[in-house]
Amino acid sequence: MATLYGGDDSHPDSSISTAGTRMEELLFLDEPADADRASELRRELGEWLDRMGVDPNRAYDVVLATYEAIANSVEHAYRDHSDRGTLDIRVLCEAEGRIEVRVTDRGDWAVHNSDPNRGRGVPLMRALADSAAVTSDQNGTNVHMIWDGAAST
C-alpha cells in the first residue's frame, strides 16, 4: 500500500511545491519484496504516470526500468535471508517533465556467475533512463534513475 504525504487517501500520490516548482510524488514504503507485489507495483506506477499525463512512450520506459529495479530487489536482495524483506519506491514527477525514481531495499544483491542469460537488468535500466546509478552498502541497495524533461516525440 502506498504511503501518502500531503495527498488524500483516494490516490497513491501527493503534491509537493518547492521554490515554485510543482512536483507530484508517488511513494511506497516497506513493500514486500515478492513477485506478486512487484507486478502490482508495476501496474500502479503505470496508472499513476497516466494520470500525471506522462507521454505513453516515456511512461513505458519509466515503468519497465522501475520494474527491473524492483525485480532485482525481489530476486537478489534477500536471497540468503529466511524471511522476505521489503523495498521502498519513490517517484517524483515535475511539471517540466523530469521524472526521478528511487528503488531502495535493505538486502544484498547477489553476484551472478558468468551465465550469458543473466545480468541484463542494470544495462536495461541505464539504456532506458537518461541517468541511472546502482549503489550498495551494508544497509542495502539503491537504484536512482532520472528522465530529463519531456520525452521526444
Side-chain angles (χ1 to χ4, degrees):
M1 169 170 275
T3 300
L4 309 176
Y5 289 97
D8 67 58
D9 289 339
S10 64
H11 294 15
D13 56 63
S14 63
S15 296
I16 302 169
S17 184
T18 58
T21 301
R22 182 151 173 85
M23 292 183 266
E24 298 291 332
E25 179 182 50
L26 178 65
L27 183 62
F28 297 96
L29 294 176
D30 295 318
E31 291 291 336
D34 66 50
D36 290 336
R37 186 61 183 137
S39 295
E40 293 169 1
L41 291 166
R42 179 181 184 151
R43 180 187 47 78
E44 291 175 33
L45 173 59
E47 291 170 355
W48 183 79
L49 290 169
D50 185 52
R51 285 195 310 273
M52 294 299 105
V54 174
D55 174 81
N57 291 322
R58 171 60 55 92
Y60 179 85
D61 290 350
V62 172
V63 170
L64 181 55
T66 303
Y67 182 74
E68 276 299 321
I70 295 167
N72 278 348
S73 289
V74 168
E75 183 176 356
H76 305 300
Y78 303 104
R79 185 181 68 133
D80 295 329
H81 297 253
S82 59
D83 58 333
R84 296 310 277 165
T86 60
L87 55 90
D88 302 332
I89 303 164
R90 181 179 189 213
V91 184
L92 291 174
C93 186
E94 295 180 11
E96 301 81 28
R98 183 176 187 270
I99 299 171
E100 182 175 346
V101 175
R102 287 188 186 269
V103 177
T104 305
D105 63 53
R106 287 156 282 289
D108 306 311
W109 283 20
V111 176
H112 287 293
N113 59 20
S114 59
D115 182 346
N117 295 314
R118 305 288 311 174
R120 294 190 176 115
V122 173
L124 179 62
M125 288 182 260
R126 288 185 173 132
L128 292 170
D130 292 319
S131 170
V134 179
T135 56
S136 295
D137 62 22
Q138 68 276 8
N139 298 315
T141 300
N142 181 65
V143 177
H144 183 212
M145 298 175 285
I146 297 172
W147 287 262
D148 292 318
S152 56
T153 57

